[in-house]
Amino acid sequence: MPTIRFRRISLRFAALLFLPIAARAAGPDFNREVRPILSNYCFKCHGPDDKTRKAKLRFDVRESALREAESGAKVIEPGKPELSETIVRIFSKDPDEVMPPPSMKKDLTEAQRDILKRWIAAGAEYQPHWSFVKPEKPVAPEIAGSNRDRVSAIDAFVQAQLPKVGLSAAPEADRLTLIRRVSLDLVGLPPTPEDVAAFVNDASPGAYDRLVDRLLASPHYGERWARRWLDLARYADTNGYEKDRERSIWPYRDWVIQALNADMPFDRFTVEQIAGDLLPGATSEQIVATGFHRNTMLNEEGGIDPLEFRYHAMADRVATTGKTWLGLTTGCAQCHTHKYDPIQHAEYFSMFAFLNNADEPEYELPDVGAAARQKANEVRAAKLLAELPDKWPVEKSGWTSDLDQTPRAVAEARFAEWLTRERSRTVKWQALRPADARSNLPHLTLQPDASILASGDITKSDQYDLKFTGLPRGITAIRLEALPHPDLPARGPGLCYYEGPKGDFFMGEFQATADGKPVQFTKATESYAKNNFGKNPASAAAAIDGDPQTGWTCADRPGEAHEAVFIPSSPIAAAQLDLRMLFGRHYACSLGRFRISVTTDPRGAEAREMGDEAERLLAIADAQLTAAQRNKLREQFLLTAPELKAARAEIEKLRKPQPATTTLVLRERPPENPRLTFIHNRGEFTQPTDRVEPGVFSFLNPLPAGAPRNRLAFAQWLVSPENPLTARVTVNRAWAAFFGCGIVKTLDDFGYQGSPPSHPELLDWLAVEFMQQGWSMKKLHRLIVTSATYRQSSRVTPALLEKDRENVFLARGPRVRLEAEMIRDSALAISGLLTPKIGGPSVYPPQPEGAEEAAYGKFTWKASEGPDRYRRGLYTFTKRTAPYAMFNTFDGPTGEVCVAQREVSNSPLQALTVLNDVVFMEAAQAIGRTVAAQGGADETRNEQLFRRFFVRPPQAEERAHLAAFLQTQRQRCSERQIDAAALAGKGDGDANERAVWTALARALFNLDEAVTKN
């Protein structure tokens, strides 16, 4: 962009160029008229971003725009447009001088030039951006001559604007229209015929208010509004990216439903989702709530750097937070200072820091019945264990003398032999406590039992270094125990969260030095090994072969203890022993908890699956064992004897921990291991620069003095009454849900590039009222749906179409297409198939065959059977790389990014879906069976069916169409032009008659009114 050159302007030229302007005349509104021009045409080169700023000039700051050049000319001379360089440049015809330059391909219109000229003539006053100023509650205007039952504040603000644009409010919609509209809006389902009759026949005052209160109290209210919130939360049941594996996070979805049904105040709703784990005495529900920011995608591809994709997930969290609560495009500041809004590059990463200091575990939900079930299983397992000796396979023992003995006697004899053998192999292990334990990244913490617990981030090439002093002399074997822990993925022993099997580890090399000299190992054994990666066998021996691509791993047995024993070529006698373990290589999978022990037994040792208690008891002389101790050893023998492998299958199943329901949550990192945050040059993960501390945007309200710099303080800042954005953004989204368009059209952008509010006073009144009413979503929704503005007829007149095509001034009621899930839910509800069950794991309703083939891997969509087949759309399994086909067709989100407002498209594929999709076909068949079985006159059944679909009765022309359609379908069935049995599906009675009514239901499903809220 050419640099602005300042110069004095010829007064003669100015006189020719400009018409006289009244001094200090009332100028254009800066926020509504001037700032959008500056933002769209000037800020890119002359805005907040100092790295791309031209001519050291800022139009977003008045002091900069008024400055003088060395020549003495000013960019803006308040009150004197003829002396303002800005005006000369925007009116210039010289391609080297005109602004914006031709290279931008964004020319100002004559009207925009005139606005800027009049603004400078009026003094070129700047105003703070309207959305960055704390809202004050305006007084609702008086509306004279209103014949409404009542005029709410909403109606007063709306009706005050209508005469200015030559419009007047529409009459109230009829009751049939109202009950369908408000039912769809509040619970996402059409009203039942019984509900319609009760409302229409209720002539007492307050009937509509009671209807609204009943809908707000419905448990389906939480389902309807949870779906809209989950769009923001980018909720999905899979991780995304290439592999897109399944995840368990549906408990978070259920928490949202329950919170909304309970009318949890929105400020608390916010705090619990961002920082529920940091609340004093955090409950299980508050921890589950932090799943909001665990909905980010997770890359499990083998070649990725887990830290890099964690960084990308963090950037998504910042962008989602900005869009959801602040209505700002914060993501624009990831790479540089925002070119339009006053968000500095460094401030972006300060907000990043609030969210960055959290770990991301899987949380096991408390199960009140789990302990009782586990106890019952243990009792059953103990009984079967006591009976196990009687199942010893005598005929296969290989001992001739065994044939004359009972199985129990043989088992006891084999136990005695086992004791002798295992005692001969038992050595005394001494656990070592490291004098120092460090790694390249994971945080290593020494535990009371001398084990080491790793936590925090891991990489694909982690390295643990341990130093031991005060050693016994003559070490003949070193034992590495891989131990489980409840804080580890799948209880460990590994730290693997993704890519490989959860809870696994891969140790590529185990190295040792004694007093600085390398230790050579001649042998290594392990208690268990299995490799889930590649064809290389997994073993402890592979961890001492000098090749980090091979090593020891214990896939498929998470939550269990395993051990490896390493034998040096000669006994170690040293003052200091240093151990190094190398992990990863194939995927990020370091050890999560481990312990190092040594023995000086000259026999050395071998790894075995024994357990600490059995090891201790085997060291006791036989004569000194108590009966209970001997029985413990007998149980160890019976549970490991190969001869009893098949017989103890049920015991092993019973002894396993009860499977727990898990969900993804956040957990603040301990103070001794904070995650540091750095500014990243151009937003690149590989280019960290200066460290930053957590902080908020300087152009908004500050954090309270003394507030801790953590997620809890950040969440409380978001919903502080001093924050000018959160309440406005929230009520605006609610308004858009009811009217199809927000008071601010750009739901996700309240910044300089966003649309100005159509009714600014109404928006501020709603925002303040929302906070004063305790941040109650239900009260806000009630306020909107009981207003006369909402209850207007949605009929579009020629005058409305001409003057306000998009209904910006709200001279009529809303008329918008239903959301994808509501279209499907309505069809199921009308057909009687809908399952009303609330909550639980996601389900797989039927969809067209092959719809999932776009997904990577062997993903198969197996349609649910029984009631789960017809659950609400909210519970449909969401696979990011292969979203449910019907929802995708009707603009449903994939869960990959935060969506504040769905697109609304109109395509032939939508008509084909409603006509032929499995769900709609089954709904039509259910209707066909019901109507055919009712019997009676066609006219009566036509009207009843029409009312089930649209609530209202059919008009005369529609009655004629219905009758003609039935006649045509019956004729086609009688002439066998259609396969009635195939069309009607399974059912009793006349297949032709069922097919006729099925066909009519399909036709009604395809009417525009069926997918529209009027």
Side-chain angles (χ1 to χ4, degrees):
M1 184 175 186
T3 302
I4 290 183
R5 298 190 301 275
F6 299 98
R7 66 198 186 288
R8 294 188 180 277
I9 305 171
S10 164
L11 293 179
R12 180 181 301 174
F13 172 74
L16 294 173
L17 184 62
F18 298 103
L19 296 175
I21 300 175
R24 299 292 179 183
D29 181 270
F30 178 78
N31 270 322
R32 183 176 295 275
E33 299 177 84
V34 178
R35 193 195 301 273
I37 299 173
L38 298 178
S39 179
N40 287 326
Y41 294 89
C42 305
F43 285 2
K44 184 176 181 180
C45 298
H46 304 292
D49 189 357
D50 56 1
K51 291 185 178 181
T52 59
R53 190 179 302 131
K54 307 293 185 182
K56 300 181 180 180
L57 169 63
R58 296 183 65 171
F59 274 110
D60 63 316
V61 177
R62 189 173 193 264
E63 290 72 17
S64 175
L66 300 186
R67 70 181 177 85
E68 290 186 355
E70 292 181 1
S71 63
K74 286 189 176 181
V75 180
I76 292 177
E77 180 73 56
K80 299 177 181 179
E82 70 278 3
L83 298 181
S84 299
E85 180 76 10
T86 296
I87 299 302
V88 173
R89 298 295 290 272
I90 67 174
F91 278 93
S92 174
K93 303 299 182 182
D94 185 344
D96 292 329
E97 298 288 335
V98 68
M99 288 290 162
S103 60
M104 288 190 66
K105 298 181 179 180
K106 293 182 70 174
D107 295 332
L108 289 167
T109 66
E110 288 300 322
Q112 289 169 328
R113 294 188 183 98
D114 180 65
I115 288 173
L116 293 178
K117 187 171 67 174
R118 289 189 291 110
W119 168 62
I120 293 175
E125 293 298 326
Y126 278 65
Q127 297 171 356
H129 186 56
W130 65 269
S131 72
F132 301 158
V133 178
K134 177 183 174 181
E136 301 291 339
K137 195 172 186 179
V139 176
E142 293 288 337
I143 303 298
S146 174
N147 57 0
R148 306 268 179 181
D149 295 337
R150 60 184 182 278
V151 176
S152 70
I154 290 176
D155 304 323
F157 285 113
V158 171
Q159 291 178 29
Q161 296 296 321
L162 293 178
K164 299 177 183 178
V165 290
L167 295 173
S168 59
E172 182 166 300
D174 60 82
R175 284 199 168 194
L176 294 175
T177 298
L178 280 178
I179 189 172
R180 183 174 184 268
R181 179 190 298 174
V182 76
S183 295
L184 289 170
D185 271 339
L186 292 182
V187 299
L189 296 170
T192 65
E194 294 76 18
D195 292 335
V196 173
F199 175 59
V200 170
N201 296 327
D202 185 356
S204 61
Y208 179 75
D209 287 353
R210 288 192 295 275
L211 168 65
V212 169
D213 290 338
R214 180 178 60 77
L215 292 170
L216 290 171
S218 168
H220 298 304
Y221 168 87
E223 292 178 310
R224 186 290 188 266
W225 289 92
R227 180 59 268 176
R228 296 191 67 87
W229 184 257
L230 295 180
D231 283 8
L232 295 164
R234 63 265 190 255
Y235 173 86
D237 295 294
T238 60
N239 289 329
Y241 294 111
E242 178 199 37
K243 289 183 174 59
D244 199 22
R245 291 193 180 109
E246 185 174 350
R247 61 169 54 170
S248 175
I249 197 169
W250 60 264
Y252 164 74
R253 177 245 290 148
D254 286 2
W255 177 88
V256 174
I257 297 171
Q258 294 159 9
L260 292 171
N261 274 333
D263 198 21
M264 179 183 288
F266 186 78
D267 55 350
R268 179 180 155 200
F269 184 70
T270 295
V271 168
E272 294 196 6
Q273 290 184 84
I274 292 180
D277 59 308
L278 290 174
L279 291 170
T283 65
S284 172
E285 291 78 12
Q286 289 168 335
I287 294 171
V288 170
T290 63
F292 177 87
H293 270 319
R294 289 302 311 279
N295 280 301
T296 46
M297 296 199 295
L298 181 66
N299 196 331
E300 300 178 287
E301 298 171 35
I304 63 103
D305 180 344
L307 297 181
E308 179 181 4
F309 277 87
R310 189 193 174 278
Y311 170 82
H312 294 319
M314 285 303 312
D316 169 70
R317 289 173 187 168
V318 176
T320 296
T321 302
K323 183 181 291 189
T324 301
W325 282 279
L326 301 176
L328 295 176
T329 54
T330 54
C332 294
Q334 178 184 346
C335 303
H336 47 71
T337 291
H338 203 296
K339 290 189 179 299
Y340 304 102
D341 298 336
I343 305 175
Q344 297 296 311
H345 187 44
E347 289 183 350
Y348 168 88
F349 283 100
S350 291
M351 180 181 286
F352 191 107
F354 275 120
L355 302 173
N356 196 30
N357 193 38
D359 287 326
E360 303 174 357
E362 282 191 359
Y363 177 68
E364 292 187 3
L365 271 67
D367 185 344
V368 292
R373 292 194 300 273
Q374 189 69 40
K375 181 66 176 176
N377 286 350
E378 290 172 358
V379 171
R380 172 67 177 162
K383 181 177 182 298
L384 293 175
L385 182 57
E387 298 170 353
L388 206 52
D390 295 322
K391 298 180 181 179
W392 192 276
V394 173
E395 68 279 4
K396 296 180 181 179
S397 68
W399 293 77
T400 305
S401 59
D402 288 350
L403 299 176
D404 299 325
Q405 299 183 44
T406 64
R408 183 172 288 273
V410 175
E412 191 65 23
R414 300 288 86 78
F415 170 52
E417 296 170 1
W418 177 84
L419 275 177
T420 301
R421 183 174 66 253
E422 294 301 326
R423 279 205 176 97
S424 70
R425 300 171 57 202
T426 299
V427 301
K428 183 178 180 181
W429 292 103
Q430 177 184 342
L432 300 182
R433 300 179 70 86
D436 187 41
R438 62 185 62 194
S439 77
N440 60 305
L441 187 61
H443 186 65
L444 305 182
T445 307
L446 183 63
Q447 304 296 296
D449 63 353
S451 67
I452 296 172
L453 181 65
S455 60
D457 298 327
I458 58 176
T459 74
K460 292 176 70 70
S461 300
D462 281 341
Q463 176 178 303
Y464 292 179
D465 289 305
L466 312 172
K467 180 172 74 174
F468 300 95
T469 57
L471 303 166
R473 296 188 64 81
I475 295 172
T476 58
I478 302 174
R479 181 175 70 173
L480 168 62
E481 294 175 271
L483 303 169
H485 191 276
D487 287 346
L488 298 175
R491 297 184 173 268
L495 268 175
C496 186
Y497 282 94
Y498 42 82
E499 294 188 89
K502 283 184 182 176
D504 191 21
F505 64 93
F506 186 95
M507 185 175 70
E509 284 294 300
F510 183 87
Q511 302 168 347
T513 58
D515 289 340
K517 297 179 180 178
V519 174
Q520 298 297 321
F521 293 106
T522 59
K523 181 183 178 182
T525 57
E526 73 286 332
S527 59
Y528 172 76
K530 183 175 181 182
N531 190 5
N532 246 21
F533 182 90
K535 299 180 180 179
N536 295 325
S539 66
I544 57 173
D545 63 359
D547 182 1
Q549 300 298 321
T550 63
W552 181 40
T553 176
C554 298
D556 294 347
R557 284 178 59 175
E560 299 181 16
H562 310 291
E563 67 177 45
V565 174
F566 301 90
I567 308 297
S569 59
S570 60
I572 299 171
Q576 180 175 318
L577 176 67
D578 294 289
L579 298 180
R580 171 169 290 176
M581 291 178 277
L582 304 179
F583 299 98
R585 307 299 172 182
H586 300 303
Y587 41 80
C589 49
S590 305
L591 258 176
R593 181 178 171 228
F594 60 95
R595 181 167 52 208
I596 299 293
S597 304
V598 297
T599 184
T600 57
D601 195 303
R603 298 170 299 168
E606 288 187 354
R608 53 184 181 172
E609 290 190 79
M610 191 61 66
D612 287 347
E613 185 178 22
E615 287 271 7
R616 180 179 61 81
L617 295 178
L618 284 169
I620 301 174
D622 195 62
Q624 296 176 344
L625 286 172
T626 66
Q629 290 173 332
R630 188 177 183 84
N631 193 53
K632 283 289 184 184
L633 286 172
R634 182 181 291 105
E635 289 179 357
Q636 177 70 24
F637 161 71
L638 293 172
L639 291 170
T640 56
E643 294 88 346
L644 294 172
K645 182 176 181 180
R648 63 172 176 263
E650 185 178 356
I651 296 174
E652 292 174 349
K653 183 178 179 181
L654 291 168
R655 286 166 67 95
K656 285 184 178 179
Q658 287 284 301
T661 298
T662 63
T663 191
L664 306 180
V665 300
L666 293 178
R667 180 176 60 203
E668 193 75 353
R669 296 178 70 132
E672 63 271 16
N673 184 33
R675 184 183 286 113
L676 306 182
T677 298
F678 298 86
I679 297 172
H680 287 256
N681 182 44
R682 299 190 62 80
E684 288 287 349
F685 165 72
T686 57
Q687 297 184 38
T689 57
D690 300 329
R691 182 182 169 188
V692 294
E693 295 295 333
V696 298
F697 297 152
S698 58
F699 62 92
L700 297 177
N701 53 303
L703 279 173
R709 301 291 171 129
N710 59 20
R711 276 182 293 120
L712 181 57
F714 176 61
Q716 292 167 338
W717 172 82
L718 284 173
V719 290
S720 164
E722 300 303 310
N723 190 311
L725 287 167
T726 300
R728 282 187 176 118
V729 169
T730 304
V731 300
N732 188 63
R733 267 200 313 267
W735 188 272
F738 291 110
F739 288 94
C741 183
I743 297 172
V744 176
K745 188 176 182 179
T746 50
L747 302 190
D748 56 356
D749 192 354
F750 274 50
Y752 292 167
Q753 291 289 97
S755 301
S758 60
H759 297 76
E761 296 83 6
L762 172 57
L763 180 64
D764 283 3
W765 188 92
L766 284 170
V768 177
E769 179 73 7
F770 180 46
M771 291 186 283
Q772 290 178 346
Q773 292 294 330
W775 298 85
S776 167
M777 293 299 294
K778 286 190 175 181
K779 289 180 180 178
L780 173 65
H781 294 167
R782 191 183 193 282
L783 189 66
I784 294 173
V785 301
T786 55
S787 69
T789 302
Y790 175 83
R791 301 197 319 263
Q792 293 177 104
S793 167
S794 63
R795 193 173 75 87
V796 181
T797 65
L800 283 173
L801 197 61
E802 178 186 356
K803 295 181 179 181
D804 190 13
R805 176 181 292 270
E806 296 184 359
N807 199 30
V808 171
F809 294 99
L810 301 166
R812 60 176 174 85
R815 181 191 290 267
V816 295
R817 201 205 69 199
L818 299 180
E819 296 158 20
E821 295 85 353
M822 291 172 67
I823 293 172
R824 179 180 175 275
D825 294 349
S826 294
L828 292 176
I830 291 167
S831 68
L833 293 176
L834 182 67
T835 300
K837 177 184 174 182
I838 295 175
S842 297
V843 297
Y844 298 80
Q847 64 173 337
E849 185 177 350
E852 74 280 6
E853 290 180 359
Y856 171 87
K858 299 179 180 179
F859 175 68
T860 301
W861 186 278
K862 188 178 184 303
S864 301
E865 297 295 337
D868 281 350
R869 191 177 181 89
Y870 304 116
R871 298 284 304 280
R872 287 192 72 166
L874 175 67
Y875 305 111
T876 297
F877 185 86
T878 302
K879 187 173 180 67
R880 285 180 161 120
T881 55
Y884 185 62
M886 182 263 159
F887 295 164
N888 196 38
T889 300
F890 281 92
D891 311 302
T894 63
E896 294 171 294
V897 295
C898 171
V899 175
Q901 186 167 22
R902 296 185 185 185
E903 297 294 329
V904 180
S905 65
N906 189 355
S907 72
L909 184 57
Q910 293 171 351
L912 290 171
T913 296
V914 175
L915 190 64
N916 298 310
D917 185 88
V918 183
V919 171
F920 289 93
M921 192 67 185
E922 291 183 0
Q925 289 169 343
I927 292 171
R929 289 193 298 271
T930 301
V931 178
Q934 284 177 348
D938 283 354
E939 185 177 355
T940 301
R941 287 189 284 181
N942 275 339
E943 175 154 345
Q944 291 174 343
L945 182 57
F946 195 91
R947 284 178 177 270
R948 286 176 66 178
F949 272 81
F950 310 118
V951 179
R952 66 177 180 84
Q955 299 174 0
E957 185 179 5
E958 291 167 330
R959 294 176 191 274
H961 283 307
L962 292 170
F965 185 87
L966 282 179
Q967 182 179 356
T968 300
Q969 295 305 308
R970 285 201 174 99
Q971 182 177 351
R972 294 182 66 196
C973 282
S974 64
E975 295 174 356
R976 293 294 186 263
Q977 294 180 17
I978 61 172
D979 185 343
L983 179 61
K986 297 180 180 178
D988 299 326
D990 185 353
N992 284 0
E993 192 66 7
R994 285 187 284 112
V996 165
W997 292 104
T998 297
L1000 179 56
R1002 293 176 74 200
L1004 293 178
F1005 276 137
N1006 232 296
L1007 294 182
D1008 182 72
E1009 190 172 349
V1011 297
T1012 303
K1013 177 190 74 176
N1014 290 311

